[in-house]
Amino acid sequence: MNGNPTRPLYRQRVKSMTLVVAMAVMVSLTSMAQEKKSNIDWLKELTSRVEFHGYGQAGYAWNDANGKQTNDFNLKRTLLWAKARITDRWSFLFMHDFSSVVQEYYTDYRFTRDNALTVRIGQFKHSFSMENPLSPTMLELIDVYSQATLFLAGEGPDPLNGVNYGRDLGLMVYGSLFNNHLLYELAVMNGQGINRRDGNNNKDFIAKIDVRPIDGLRFVCSGQKGKGHAVGTAAWNPSVQEGDDYTRDRVSVGAEWKMPTAAGAASTSGGISVRGEYMWGKDGEVNSNGGYVTGCVPVGKGIDVVASADYFNRNPEMDYYQTQLTAGLQYWFYRKCRVQLQYTRVLSHFQDDYNWLQAQLQVAF
């Protein structure tokens, strides 16, 4: 008559269990939402602090040096680097050239609120000359640097110093003062180049002063004082033998003027520009000297005319000198991407004069 006395109790238990399950589901969903939000925030934070960049340069070259015509396709550089901003003042960079070797790895820490004082330690491009610290993606020549920069900054053609791509291991203090009108760089380096321990107990000291009195104009002086440890021998410097420690000093003075590109122009070269520099060096008892003047003039949307003249004498007592005259065009088809075509006439005292034709495609991001 009264029915099953346990049914109301059963219904009450079902209702309670349903409420518990519902609450568990709500807690789970809330937890999942918070976890998802946390993951999104973490990913957003990571992507905002890490940058990836890279570029590749490939081309074709023909020349008739030494009375013999040669031509080939080449892949000069394929670089990728990552820069991590650990804090607003502390960062780290790693760069690798996949057609060569590890190029750079260093950390920067800015001590001041402005850019007056930053310290860098690791392996990086040193400060000697105006050209050496600049990226090949922005320099005008397919062969990148002038003869004097290539030799005196340690980019490669000096057998005493080896191939170092203008880089070294050390510590640098740098910054800008007076509303960016004065920039300075002071460094102590191994002097042995990249990916190598120092060959002697002497360190190299490098200093640079960059004065910018007005927008677009700058005057630069840099110097290096040190001791090299020869990794080879050179025909123009027979007094230094492999394994010798020798004097390795350098001085440079230069200037650059740039006129910004008109609004809407596609060229990223910065508009009309002229850069010139004189450099002197001493290796052991042998002096060397040289200089260059390079100009770039936009002539259309994304199209520049490039011209350069550079001279370098590795040993004036032996008249071991060479002059290169270059003219060409470059077309910036997308941001940092361009195609280049250049002709160079090489006038040499230690080999026959020759012609050199180069073309190159650059893709960068």
Side-chain angles (χ1 to χ4, degrees):
M1 297 279 303
N2 294 329
N4 189 342
T6 63
R7 181 164 296 179
L9 180 60
Y10 171 77
R11 290 176 178 173
Q12 184 64 34
R13 288 178 178 175
V14 170
K15 289 181 180 179
S16 299
M17 291 177 63
T18 303
L19 180 60
V20 170
V21 171
M23 291 179 65
V25 171
M26 290 179 64
V27 170
S28 178
L29 290 174
T30 303
S31 177
M32 290 175 62
Q34 290 177 345
E35 184 179 352
K36 184 176 181 181
K37 184 177 184 300
S38 176
N39 289 339
I40 291 174
D41 290 344
W42 178 85
L43 184 61
K44 185 177 180 181
E45 177 73 9
L46 178 64
T47 55
S48 69
R49 289 184 175 271
V50 180
E51 300 177 7
F52 290 95
H53 299 279
Y55 69 88
Q57 292 178 324
Y60 171 85
W62 171 93
N63 69 68
D64 58 358
N66 301 315
K68 181 180 179 181
Q69 294 188 19
T70 60
N71 71 92
D72 66 335
F73 291 97
N74 55 73
L75 180 62
K76 290 186 176 180
R77 301 169 189 88
T78 51
L79 277 84
L80 180 67
W81 67 94
K83 183 176 182 179
R85 182 170 54 87
I86 303 168
T87 69
D88 291 340
R89 296 191 178 192
W90 184 20
S91 65
F92 175 80
L93 183 141
F94 178 84
M95 176 186 292
H96 183 63
D97 185 346
F98 290 94
S99 62
S100 181
V101 296
V102 173
Q103 298 284 309
E104 298 182 15
Y105 44 88
Y106 62 82
T107 184
D108 282 337
Y109 186 82
R110 178 169 52 84
F111 280 89
T112 56
R113 291 183 179 181
D114 56 11
N115 294 320
L117 177 61
T118 300
V119 174
R120 174 178 295 177
I121 185 168
Q123 178 170 288
F124 48 87
K125 275 203 168 189
H126 60 72
S127 304
F128 178 72
S129 82
M130 296 175 67
E131 285 191 318
N132 185 61
L134 299 177
S135 169
T137 60
M138 300 308 297
L139 286 169
E140 301 86 354
L141 301 183
I142 293 176
D143 205 36
V144 186
Y145 305 103
S146 68
Q147 297 177 93
T149 303
L150 286 169
F151 185 90
L152 295 176
E155 285 285 350
D158 177 11
L160 299 182
N161 188 239
V163 179
N164 292 305
Y165 309 100
R167 293 171 171 87
D168 204 352
L169 279 156
L171 172 72
M172 180 169 69
V173 177
Y174 67 96
S176 61
L177 306 169
F178 309 116
N179 198 26
N180 209 39
H181 287 298
L182 175 64
L183 286 71
Y184 71 91
E185 298 178 16
L186 303 171
V188 55
M189 317 290 291
N190 277 346
Q192 200 65 49
I194 66 171
N195 305 324
R196 288 203 299 252
R197 296 189 63 181
D198 202 346
N200 54 42
N201 289 324
N202 298 281
K203 294 295 173 281
D204 286 20
F205 298 91
I206 302 176
K208 174 184 281 185
I209 296 293
D210 186 335
V211 180
R212 305 182 178 188
I214 59 175
D215 289 345
L217 178 64
R218 67 187 187 119
F219 300 95
V220 182
C221 179
S222 66
Q224 177 175 343
K225 178 71 177 177
K227 285 278 188 179
H229 181 79
V231 297
T233 59
W236 57 87
N237 198 340
S239 63
V240 179
Q241 299 299 308
E242 183 176 350
D244 289 351
D245 292 339
Y246 63 98
T247 299
R248 193 168 184 270
D249 299 338
R250 277 97 173 89
V251 174
S252 76
V253 290
E256 182 179 52
W257 175 73
K258 284 187 175 183
M259 179 182 292
T261 306
S267 173
T268 60
S269 62
I272 298 174
S273 66
V274 179
R275 182 179 64 257
E277 192 171 18
Y278 171 80
M279 284 171 268
W280 170 90
K282 184 174 184 179
D283 296 274
E285 298 302 319
V286 174
N287 295 320
S288 57
N289 63 81
Y292 67 90
V293 176
T294 299
C296 179
V297 179
V299 294
K301 189 173 182 179
I303 302 174
D304 301 329
V305 172
V306 173
S308 179
D310 81 89
Y311 165 88
F312 185 61
N313 194 336
R314 302 182 186 186
N315 188 338
E317 293 184 2
M318 298 175 63
D319 287 335
Y320 214 95
Y321 61 85
Q322 184 168 275
T323 301
Q324 294 185 172
L325 305 174
T326 301
L329 293 171
Q330 62 183 12
Y331 172 57
W332 300 88
F333 59 91
Y334 182 75
R335 295 182 180 177
K336 297 179 181 180
C337 303
R338 63 180 170 178
V339 289
Q340 298 167 275
L341 178 64
Q342 293 174 4
Y343 166 77
T344 301
R345 177 64 176 173
V346 180
L347 308 173
S348 179
H349 186 264
F350 53 85
Q351 61 180 330
D352 293 337
D353 299 346
Y354 65 93
N355 302 291
W356 191 10
L357 184 64
Q358 298 179 90
Q360 181 170 271
L361 170 66
Q362 170 183 302
V363 178
F365 63 93

